[in-house]
Amino acid sequence: MIKCNNVQEQAQDLSAQMFERWHALLLGGDFVLGEEVTQFETWMSERCNGAHAIALNSGTDALFLALRALGIGPGDEVITCANTFVATVGAIVSAGARPVLADVGDDELISVDTLEPLLSARTKAVIPVYLRGRPVNIDAILDLCRSRGVAVIEDCAQAIGTTIDGCQVGTRGDASAFSMHPLKTLGGLGDGGVLVTTNLKIAEYARSVRNHGLENRNESVQFGINSRLDSLQAAALNIKTRYLDQWLKRRTEIAAFYDRTLCDTATGVDLGGGKPGNAYYHYVVKSTDRDRLQRYLAEQEIQTAIHYPIPIHRQRAWLSSQPQIVLPNTERLSREMLTLPCHHHLSDSDVERVVLAIKQFERLGARVAI
Ligand SMILES: Cc1ncc(COP(=O)(O)O)c(C=O)c1O
């Protein structure tokens, strides 16, 4: 089976190094906010051009704390898109604000065209999502938002390795949220996340509130939450950081191969349109016959995925609490898009097999009953 992700393989390859590091941690007893966490934060800060990096329990918490740090809560509106993981919208609701969902373009991304009509006097922030590790047109969004006094929180959960002008994204807005969930290109063996910001006040808020506002073991200056990145996870991440760039390079090679070989098919190439700086967290194509294509590929032992089959505004969580809305492009894309395998454990012959199977499906076309 050609797998759509390499979570297990990634962990297994590095298990000896991890056990060694965990053993040292076990002997040292540095379990909470210790040296491993500091080392990971330093790496993340360097990756993000010297911005503050605060390691947290999850990307969801990074979004939530960014909203809270900006004072966003009840009575405020925050605009984002509906074709994202539910956490983006969940964080807005957890902060007490009202989520407002914008439609996306054919590249599956929010843009000034889709979000500008939704800006109101109540809009306090916009959360553009770097979906699939694709670069968002952040400068245009920032120009619009800054001219209206609206904050920008970049959802970089899927965007480790995504660059604009050669720089890691996540430092242009007021704050950004990265996820180190195991499925991510740089993932731990459990939950993890980072809030990145160039704003010292936001950084200080997140650093304090992630640990109950504690200044020392006994004194708290503000009530907060427990959102500390676990030292065991930080240790695993500190090993993986050494390999990240080589993994990203392999994803780019695979994407370039798909681009070259699928460009003349009906299925076509990645919906991101081959823009530079794409980290290819997902390589996503579309087909009006998507479900049959997926079943056909599964029969050929090729695993694919659909991220996300139910847009947020069609989730029961939304329908039970928010007004019904229609987002035509988001809905069409949710019916048509398909994530192909794209990770560093794929060999050249694996990706050739994926392409051949897609071409074969198109040749057989309507004649096969799948
Ligand atoms: C776009 C997006 N936003 C937010 C999150 C939340 O991150 P986490 O699972 O680390 O809380 C994810 C995680 O999958 C995501 O893909």
Side-chain angles (χ1 to χ4, degrees), residues 132-135 158-163 185 247-248 251-252 275-282 342:
R132 321 201 181 288
R134 289 179 194 152
Q158 304 184 357
I160 191 77
T162 305
T163 57
T185 307
W247 295 344
L248 287 165
R251 282 177 187 252
T252 309
K275 277 198 217 123
N278 191 340
Y280 292 105
Y281 173 58
H282 293 147
C342 184

Side-chain angles (χ1 to χ4, degrees), residues 288-299:
T288 46
D289 215 358
R290 192 265 314 273
D291 294 343
R292 282 178 74 241
L293 173 59
Q294 185 175 38
R295 282 199 295 277
Y296 182 78
L297 293 175
E299 277 178 5

Side-chain angles (χ1 to χ4, degrees), residues 22 25-26 30-31 36-37 189 229-237:
W22 285 336
L25 197 60
L26 233 119
D30 193 15
F31 299 143
E36 291 285 4
V37 174
L189 275 78
L229 178 69
D230 196 280
S231 296
L232 287 167
Q233 298 304 339
L237 289 163

Side-chain angles (χ1 to χ4, degrees), residues 72-129:
I72 293 168
D76 298 333
E77 290 182 357
V78 178
I79 304 175
T80 190
C81 53
N83 59 335
T84 177
F85 183 57
V86 283
T88 314
V89 177
I92 299 169
V93 174
S94 298
R98 193 172 93 79
V100 175
L101 299 179
D103 209 351
V104 290
D106 289 341
D107 60 358
E108 303 183 290
L109 301 175
I110 203 169
S111 68
V112 287
D113 298 337
T114 53
L115 72 85
E116 187 165 20
L118 300 174
L119 287 170
S120 78
R122 287 182 298 278
T123 310
K124 290 294 176 318
V126 167
I127 307 185
V129 180

